[in-house]
Amino acid sequence: MPDIRRAGLWHAMAESAGLTNPDGTIGETIYGQMTELAAQLGAVNLGQGAPGTEPPSELIDASTEAMRAGFNQYAPGQGFPQLLEAVAQQRERDFGQRVDPAEVLYTAGATEGLTAAILALLPRGRSLVAFEPFYDSYPAAVTAAGGSLHTVPILPDGYGGFTPDWDLFDRVVGEVDPAIILVNTPHNPTGCIFSADDLAHIGRAAEAADAWVLSDEVYEQLVLTEQAHIPPAVAIEDAARVVTVSSAGKSWNATGWKIGWVIAPPEVREAIQAVKQFLTFTAGGPMQIGMATMLTSDSRFVEENRASLAARAEVLVPACRTVPGAIVSTPQAGYFTVMDFSALTDLDAFALNDLLAREFSLVGIPVPALCRPGSPAYSAYRSSIRYSFCKSVADVDKGAQQFIALGSHLRQYPEALKLRS
Ligand code: PMP
Ligand code: GLN
């Protein structure tokens, strides 16, 4: 057979995401690895951000009806007009962002939207600046575009909160002259919500560098505190340089449907579509129609889902806090809490996660897996693990009981499990 290594892009993409093994083989994503580990051990899976609760039945009914009504062949490349119109309406209703349907592009989840936008808008050899930790698709997409990724840490404050390092942000942007600044708000995994001032800061930096602002807003509906989610396209004065990416997966418990969208000025949307149409052309026709119905309905599902997530966080987070010495984040938004074990162990998050999986039936995502080896964020999160509370009530309860058991075990045997070497 031809030499698989003679074309290097697939390997470079995996390598940039930290997925290559020492022997050159490629590993699963951290989400896949942790799902498998939990299944193997029968441990509570608080890893991948895949909800343990179902989508609203109205959404399933509307999509089923769309199938019965004949929406079963290719949708137009831009997406069904019903969805484009519905996204425009939803952005204005929920966030005051004026959107014309001509600016909206359906994508197979936010992942395809982000990758297509990066491929379309990052010139070969130029830089993209993102905050770290980050979603694992970013470095792979930058590599595919032939660009380079530079990161700015969102650092723990030692009390369960997080702040982006703005001095470093200014320095990095000044040094690398990025073509794209990527911001994920609310942020995975910290739950950090960027304020209007933060976003204006990013906007000014983008203007000075003449960069695009690529905004990943998949947790837009899942703010658990009083602070509002503000889309960068609303906060940034020169909104024409903002490309917004979002999806239905997280807000409607339908991560497997891969219904996402990109919003950008029509000529920018067309450029992104020019890339996207040769990745999937189009997907999820009936679900596009179902989502259009959902986005424009007066359903209270998102509100209820948010309340239910907050209730599950209320179960998990206090249980995590019973572990003596651990610093546990108070999630402002999203699906996750971040637990810093550095005061009670020398183990890194990978080894610790493995040990907690085996001994305490608890599986999370080691936060360094969402960082670049050697970076300040990688060191800051060296012994931090992300736990998802979007799982079923039963799993969150089980997870909470395991943390309480871990806490009491450690109070009795502070040297237990050789957490400190
Ligand atoms: N961005 C972030 C920050 C995420 O956590 C995720 C995972 N859901 C995505 C993008 C990808 O979203 P989708 O499943 O819609 O592709
Ligand atoms: N975004 C999800 C998370 O952070 C995972 C998505 C995936 O598995 N690619 O858990």
Side-chain angles (χ1 to χ4, degrees):
M1 88 184 180
D3 178 6
I4 190 76
R5 292 295 294 265
R6 74 186 182 193
L9 182 58
W10 63 274
H11 204 265
M13 286 174 74
E15 189 153 22
S16 69
L19 300 181
T20 43
N21 300 318
D23 65 358
T25 58
I26 306 256
E28 261 270 22
T29 70
I30 189 70
Y31 306 113
Q33 284 177 41
M34 292 307 122
T35 302
E36 198 183 313
L37 177 69
Q40 238 176 39
L41 298 175
V44 188
N45 182 4
L46 303 178
Q48 189 183 39
T53 47
E54 289 301 310
S57 52
E58 304 104 284
L59 175 58
I60 293 176
D61 291 346
S63 302
T64 311
E65 274 162 34
M67 282 182 204
R68 296 204 192 287
F71 288 93
N72 297 306
Q73 313 311 328
Y74 298 123
Q78 192 183 345
F80 276 119
Q82 292 91 323
L83 179 69
L84 311 180
E85 174 63 41
V87 168
Q89 280 183 33
Q90 179 258 337
R91 293 302 289 191
E92 171 133 37
R93 182 193 67 213
D94 291 349
F95 305 120
Q97 180 181 351
R98 310 258 343 234
V99 174
D100 189 284
E103 299 175 307
V104 184
L105 169 66
Y106 157 79
T107 56
T111 307
E112 188 191 43
L114 288 159
T115 299
I118 291 169
L119 289 173
L121 304 178
L122 187 64
R124 194 158 282 280
R126 292 286 303 275
S127 300
L128 177 147
V129 169
F131 293 89
E132 187 181 3
F134 45 69
Y135 180 53
D136 65 350
S137 75
Y138 302 171
V142 171
T143 298
S148 56
L149 173 69
H150 297 267
T151 58
V152 174
I154 295 182
L155 291 171
D157 64 9
Y159 303 95
F162 305 91
T163 348
D165 185 337
W166 289 112
D167 290 340
L168 195 58
F169 173 81
D170 291 338
R171 192 144 28 101
V172 169
V173 170
E175 275 169 20
V176 307
D177 188 30
I180 301 180
I181 299 174
L182 200 172
V183 57
N184 165 219
T185 180
H187 179 251
N188 171 8
T190 62
C192 213
I193 302 168
F194 284 69
S195 69
D197 283 350
D198 293 339
L199 296 170
H201 187 146
I202 292 172
R204 284 191 299 275
E207 243 177 276
D210 196 22
W212 301 103
V213 176
L214 180 56
S215 172
D216 175 352
E217 299 176 39
V218 300
Y219 299 98
E220 63 178 43
Q221 301 290 341
L222 303 179
V223 173
L224 307 174
T225 58
E226 294 299 301
Q227 195 182 338
H229 165 65
I230 305 170
V234 170
I236 291 176
E237 212 168 64
D238 183 10
R241 66 176 66 248
V242 181
V243 175
T244 306
V245 176
S246 196
S247 66
K250 307 288 176 181
S251 308
W252 282 272
N253 294 343
T255 56
W257 290 27
K258 285 288 182 176
I259 302 295
W261 45 85
V262 170
I263 304 167
E267 65 274 32
V268 184
R269 187 268 300 157
E270 273 170 18
I272 298 169
Q273 189 176 333
V275 172
K276 177 256 179 313
Q277 67 199 355
F278 299 121
L279 295 172
T280 50
F281 179 42
T282 181
M287 285 95 98
Q288 290 189 33
I289 299 290
M291 250 344 278
T293 309
M294 202 67 221
L295 286 170
T296 47
S297 79
D298 55 7
S299 159
R300 296 176 49 86
F301 179 80
V302 167
E303 244 170 288
E304 288 159 11
N305 198 28
R306 202 159 39 224
S308 147
L309 269 173
R312 281 173 275 162
E314 273 305 309
V315 170
L316 191 68
V317 171
C320 294
R321 293 209 165 112
T322 67
V323 175
I327 302 172
V328 181
S329 73
T330 303
Q332 308 292 303
Y335 276 178
F336 315 111
T337 183
V338 172
M339 200 162 165
D340 178 358
F341 292 87
S342 58
L344 58 154
T345 181
D346 287 339
L347 295 177
D348 69 27
F350 296 96
L352 180 64
N353 192 46
D354 202 67
L355 184 132
L356 292 176
R358 287 167 207 286
E359 305 283 333
F360 282 89
S361 188
L362 283 167
V363 171
I365 300 288
V367 180
L370 312 177
C371 300
R372 319 175 79 194
S375 72
Y378 193 96
S379 315
Y381 293 99
R382 183 180 173 277
S383 301
S384 292
I385 300 178
R386 183 194 89 174
Y387 294 105
S388 302
F389 49 80
C390 63
K391 303 299 181 179
S392 68
V393 170
D395 278 351
V396 171
D397 279 346
K398 258 193 272 173
Q401 281 162 25
Q402 292 309 112
F403 278 112
I404 291 167
L406 172 65
S408 58
H409 191 80
L410 286 173
R411 271 190 300 280
Q412 221 178 336
Y413 308 102
E415 297 302 313
L417 307 176
K418 300 195 180 62
L419 287 183
R420 193 168 280 294
S421 56

